Amino acid sequence: MKDKINTKIVKINPNNIDCDIIKEAAEIINNGGIVVFPTETVYGIGADALNDEAVDKIFKAKGRPQDNPLIVHIGDFDDLYDLVEEVPENAKNLANKYWPGPLTMIFDKSDVLSDKISAGLKTAAIRFPLNKIALELLKESKKPIAAPSANTSGKPSPTEAAHVIEDLMGKVDMIIDGGSTYIGLESTVVDMTSEVPMILRPGGVTIEDIVKVLGECEYDPAIIKSNEKIIPKSPGQKYRHYSPKAKVILYKGLVENIVEKIIEDYEKFELEGKTVGIMSTDQTHKYYNKKNVICVGDRTNLLTISSNLFRDLRKFDQMGIDVILAEAVNEEGLGKAIMNRLSKAANKTIIV
Ligand code: AMP
Ligand code: MG
């Protein structure tokens, strides 16, 4: 973007929210401006969802393709009724259990939402977030807020204000620093308009969680067979995503085999003159006697891995790494979302 905006950076303690800052942020939203705020998933870049000009600024600031629709955030379940044609019974049940939270549901949209938000689709993605700062901003502005992840399109989503500053300084009116996000991966997107609810993007609310409430739920086939040429139902899933500047190689298989192959490839790339990094886990860290090893978390507590993943991918870039060798994790529970992001970030997957 050519014209630079004066970006105001403010800090809010989520446990002691400064109402004056929230008022100022809400005023920016109501005047068609852009505010970046933390959520429990990743940071979001927000604008009044009912103002097309403001929404357009989000696409421009992110460099987001126009065919990738935005998630609309609400601060009260009842706000949903204005935005969508119909709220099916199963959506009410899911909302009862997982809203506010890291769950986005797709509904047939009402005319209140423009084609700009939905990128021309007849449906709209709605989420009721849990983060207190996000909720206060929604309450104060009294507007639904469109807010995709606050990164430059294609890069890893921001989990700290520093990441947002790196990508969006001079492109937004305000950045609210509310500390590190909790889950660290974007919300689960589930299509409630299909006969069986369908996960279009895995996230913090897992398929197991949804099945417990609804009895049934399936994945968009494009998520399961990412190598095949099936068009994903979520436009965002067709783009290369979550990518650091470095090349990422993902290693799948038995953990012992992964470690052995990563050590072998590290040495091979080093001989080629590359600066190599390894993304290890608590369980494997001690086996890599190499430089540039970052431990992403604990295989037995996947929340540690999800919350660190994007931050660590960005760290490798700051270290000037050319190739990141990353370990796959088990795809159960939150592991499905972690592997979805890692697979999209990876230039290559090696099965050992
Ligand atoms: P982000 O806001 O950056 O987390 O991305 C939002 C994700 O939700 C993208 O992958 C979008 O393609 C997806 N999405 C938003 N609206 C819809 C919709 N109406 N139908 C299908 N996917 C959607
Ligand atoms: Mg995104």
Side-chain angles (χ1 to χ4, degrees):
M1 223 162 41
K2 277 181 230 114
D3 333 56
K4 270 205 160 183
I5 302 174
N6 200 355
T7 303
K8 181 166 182 177
I9 301 171
V10 293
K11 250 192 173 74
I12 295 188
N13 174 354
N15 297 316
N16 183 15
I17 293 178
D18 184 331
C19 299
D20 289 339
I21 300 180
I22 294 289
K23 278 202 181 102
E24 192 181 339
E27 213 170 293
I28 294 174
I29 296 282
N30 282 317
N31 288 325
I34 304 286
V35 175
V36 174
F37 58 94
T39 82
E40 72 279 19
T41 59
V42 299
Y43 273 76
I45 168 171
D48 175 358
L50 307 180
N51 177 342
D52 270 3
E53 246 173 72
V55 169
D56 208 33
K57 291 182 190 167
I58 294 180
F59 281 94
K60 288 214 178 81
K62 279 180 63 77
R64 185 171 176 107
Q66 293 288 336
D67 68 346
N68 193 4
L70 307 184
I71 294 174
V72 177
H73 293 72
I74 54 175
D76 188 309
F77 181 79
D78 287 339
D79 295 346
L80 180 62
Y81 290 93
D82 274 349
L83 305 176
V84 306
E85 279 286 291
E86 195 204 338
V87 182
E89 212 49 42
N90 59 359
K92 284 181 200 159
N93 293 337
L94 260 195
N96 243 333
K97 177 84 181 164
Y98 293 112
W99 273 6
L103 174 75
T104 296
M105 289 193 263
I106 308 275
F107 301 91
D108 286 323
K109 78 175 189 70
S110 77
D111 292 338
V112 168
L113 292 175
S114 73
D115 281 352
K116 183 110 230 156
I117 290 271
S118 68
L121 298 175
K122 288 191 166 57
T123 53
I126 317 281
R127 181 160 101 85
F128 183 175
L130 180 61
N131 180 286
K132 287 186 202 151
I133 298 171
L135 288 173
E136 285 302 318
L137 181 59
L138 283 158
K139 203 161 85 187
E140 185 67 32
S141 67
K142 299 187 181 65
K143 291 274 167 54
I145 296 182
S149 52
N151 52 297
T152 300
S153 256
K155 283 184 67 175
S157 296
T159 58
E160 294 171 6
H163 305 156
V164 179
I165 292 168
E166 195 176 290
D167 283 12
L168 297 179
M169 195 64 190
K171 298 180 177 183
V172 299
D173 297 289
M174 182 185 263
I175 297 172
I176 300 178
D177 179 352
S180 293
T181 57
Y182 175 62
I183 296 168
L185 300 179
E186 307 82 351
S187 59
T188 305
V189 176
V190 54
D191 186 355
M192 304 308 292
T193 69
S194 57
E195 209 172 293
V196 175
M198 187 185 274
I199 294 184
L200 309 187
R201 177 176 73 183
V205 173
T206 65
I207 194 162
E208 294 88 347
D209 294 332
I210 297 174
V211 169
K212 251 188 234 158
V213 179
L214 302 184
E216 57 181 3
C217 181
E218 57 190 28
Y219 285 117
D220 178 356
I223 292 181
I224 305 171
K225 300 171 188 168
S226 54
N227 289 333
E228 292 181 18
K229 292 207 159 65
I230 309 172
I231 297 170
K233 293 208 169 58
S234 176
Q237 290 282 322
K238 69 177 185 249
Y239 295 106
R240 187 168 141 74
H241 231 313
Y242 320 114
S243 313
K245 291 187 200 102
K247 181 176 169 175
V248 179
I249 304 179
L250 178 61
Y251 295 80
K252 276 188 186 178
L254 282 178
V255 177
E256 306 89 271
N257 298 349
I258 288 177
V259 171
E260 202 175 304
K261 180 71 175 148
I262 285 184
I263 294 172
E264 186 188 318
D265 283 0
Y266 185 102
E267 288 164 2
K268 190 187 85 190
F269 282 120
E270 218 176 26
L271 279 176
E272 289 174 14
K274 302 246 165 58
T275 309
V276 198
I278 298 175
M279 200 155 74
S280 66
T281 48
D282 281 358
Q283 285 72 17
T284 60
H285 196 70
K286 60 175 182 275
Y287 300 114
Y288 300 115
N289 208 354
K290 303 282 180 203
K291 274 187 289 182
N292 311 325
V293 186
I294 298 179
C295 180
V296 69
D298 178 356
R299 288 175 171 275
T300 65
N301 179 2
L302 291 174
L303 188 59
T304 60
I305 298 183
S306 72
S307 66
N308 293 332
L309 178 66
F310 288 147
R311 184 197 65 196
D312 290 346
L313 289 176
R314 282 181 185 253
K315 261 193 204 160
F316 281 117
D317 275 349
Q318 284 155 8
M319 290 157 67
I321 300 293
D322 300 312
V323 192
I324 302 167
L325 312 181
E327 298 175 6
V329 297
N330 197 325
E331 298 213 18
E332 269 161 42
L334 193 52
K336 186 78 190 171
I338 295 169
M339 284 300 292
N340 169 265
R341 307 310 191 272
L342 268 174
S343 307
K344 288 227 174 293
N347 305 69
K348 189 170 157 190
T349 299
I350 293 180
I351 298 173
V352 290

